[in-house]
């Protein structure tokens, strides 16, 4: 399904404005983009590894994840994405996707033809700088996730993932961390933390027993934010203020 969406251009302008300084001519240039909106069901691949990249996609509503798959079919989720995230910035100059992006929930996606967005980047250095900052923050998040999977213990991995997700939602204006929508399944959390779904279930129950969280589907209440951050070794500085 494809439709017009009144807030689509506002979303991408606000995102880039949060990452840099756009003047009125920058905003006017972005507002001139041809922008359509599509909807996708849960578990739908928005980006496919090996596919040519022709559009820039912005997540307007819903949640998504970025992932890689081994030759044997094992999946590693490398990031979660929230409304306002630009999903294709990594492929702007590469032409071919080297990973997958999949919806976690049903989602609304804003779509801009890549050739149009590249034209804006050449003409508007402030826009290019803001997008460059977005990709650098993504790289910082990836480094933190490598540390999380490689060196933190089982409980810390999940606590850190919960803290990052809650913190980013708050920065995006989606609600306080103490009451956080949690759209991921335990299998998806397992794929993001290098654990089994059984381990994830056990750790979530442990965090609940210790009074740190109170699961209440589809939300989780973070009862003791400071303690959860301590257990998860969570320091938000690597997010550089990003949503």
């Amino acid at each position: 399904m494809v439709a017009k969406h009144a807030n689509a251009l506002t979303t991408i302008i606000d995102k880039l404005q949060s990452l840099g300084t756009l003047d009125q001519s920058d905003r006017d240039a972005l507002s001139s983009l041809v922008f359509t909106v599509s909807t996708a069901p849960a578990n739908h691949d928005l980006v496919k590894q090996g596919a040519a990249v022709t559009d820039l996609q912005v997540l307007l509503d819903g949640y998504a994840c970025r992932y890689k798959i081994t030759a044997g079919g094992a999946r590693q989720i490398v990031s979660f994405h929230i409304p306002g995230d630009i999903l294709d910035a990594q492929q702007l100059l590469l032409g071919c996707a080297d990973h997958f992006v999949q919806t976690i929930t049903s989602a609304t996606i804003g779509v801009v033809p890549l050739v149009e967005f590249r034209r804006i980047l050449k003409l508007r250095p402030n826009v290019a700088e803001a997008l460059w900052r977005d990709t650098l923050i993504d790289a910082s998040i990836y480094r933190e996730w490598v540390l999380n999977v490689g060196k933190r213990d089982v409980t810390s991995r999940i606590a850190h993932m919960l803290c990052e997700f809650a913190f980013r939602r708050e920065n995006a204006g989606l609600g306080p961390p103490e009451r956080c929508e949690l759209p991921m399944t335990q299998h998806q959390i397992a794929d993001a933390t290098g654990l089994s779904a059984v381990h994830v279930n056990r750790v979530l129950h442990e965090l609940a027993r210790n009074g740190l969280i109170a699961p209440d589907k589809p939300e989780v209440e973070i009862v003791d934010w400071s303690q959860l951050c301590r257990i998860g070794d969570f320091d938000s500085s690597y997010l550089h203020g990003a949503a």
Side-chain angles (χ1 to χ4, degrees):
M1 174 183 177
V2 178
K4 295 292 182 182
H5 192 284
N7 296 321
L9 287 172
T10 301
T11 298
I12 192 169
I13 292 170
D14 288 349
K15 174 71 172 183
L16 293 171
Q17 182 73 66
S18 74
L19 293 162
T21 302
L22 304 185
D23 59 29
Q24 187 59 50
S25 59
D26 296 324
R27 290 189 288 273
D28 290 343
L30 289 168
S31 297
S32 72
L33 287 168
V34 176
F35 208 117
T36 57
V37 170
S38 64
T39 58
N43 304 314
H44 173 77
D45 283 329
L46 300 170
V47 175
K48 295 185 178 181
Q49 183 170 313
V53 178
T54 59
D55 300 305
L56 185 80
Q57 300 181 84
V58 181
L59 188 61
L60 301 176
D61 187 52
Y63 297 91
C65 66
R66 196 179 304 274
Y67 70 95
K68 296 277 289 184
I69 295 181
T70 68
R75 182 170 77 159
Q76 179 66 50
I77 291 176
V78 297
S79 58
F80 288 120
H81 293 279
I82 64 175
D85 280 359
I86 300 169
L87 300 178
D88 299 284
Q90 290 89 346
Q91 285 85 240
L92 268 173
L93 301 177
L94 299 178
C96 179
D98 57 20
H99 59 270
F100 296 85
V101 176
Q102 186 178 87
T103 56
I104 292 174
T105 63
S106 58
T108 306
I109 314 296
V111 182
V112 179
L114 198 57
V115 65
E116 287 293 308
F117 201 79
R118 283 176 175 163
R119 177 180 60 81
I120 296 293
L121 293 179
K122 289 179 180 179
L123 296 173
R124 313 305 313 174
N126 290 340
V127 177
E129 183 175 323
L131 193 68
W132 179 226
R133 178 175 168 80
D134 187 52
T135 59
L136 290 176
I137 292 171
D138 274 347
S140 179
I141 292 172
Y142 294 152
R143 289 190 290 273
E144 190 70 22
W145 276 49
V146 170
L147 177 65
N148 202 41
V149 172
K151 292 299 179 182
R152 292 190 178 109
D153 63 36
V154 171
T155 303
S156 294
R157 288 184 210 180
I158 294 178
H160 189 279
M161 189 221 77
L162 291 173
C163 288
E164 179 187 288
F165 190 73
F167 182 89
R168 292 189 66 228
R169 285 186 76 260
E170 181 183 32
N171 270 17
L174 300 175
E178 291 79 14
R179 193 73 185 176
C180 178
E181 181 181 8
L182 198 64
M184 302 83 82
T185 66
Q186 291 186 6
H187 283 283
Q188 288 164 338
I189 295 174
D191 285 348
T193 53
L195 302 170
S196 68
V198 172
H199 268 107
V200 171
N201 184 271
R202 190 176 300 152
V203 170
L204 291 175
H205 278 90
E206 175 191 338
L207 293 173
R209 281 197 308 272
N210 291 335
L212 298 175
I213 66 171
D216 182 18
K217 293 182 179 180
E219 295 183 328
V220 60
E221 179 183 357
I222 298 178
V223 180
D224 193 334
W225 172 252
S226 61
Q227 180 69 348
L228 190 67
C229 289
R230 188 191 67 78
I231 290 173
D233 187 29
F234 179 72
D235 176 355
S236 64
S237 60
Y238 72 95
L239 294 169
H240 300 282

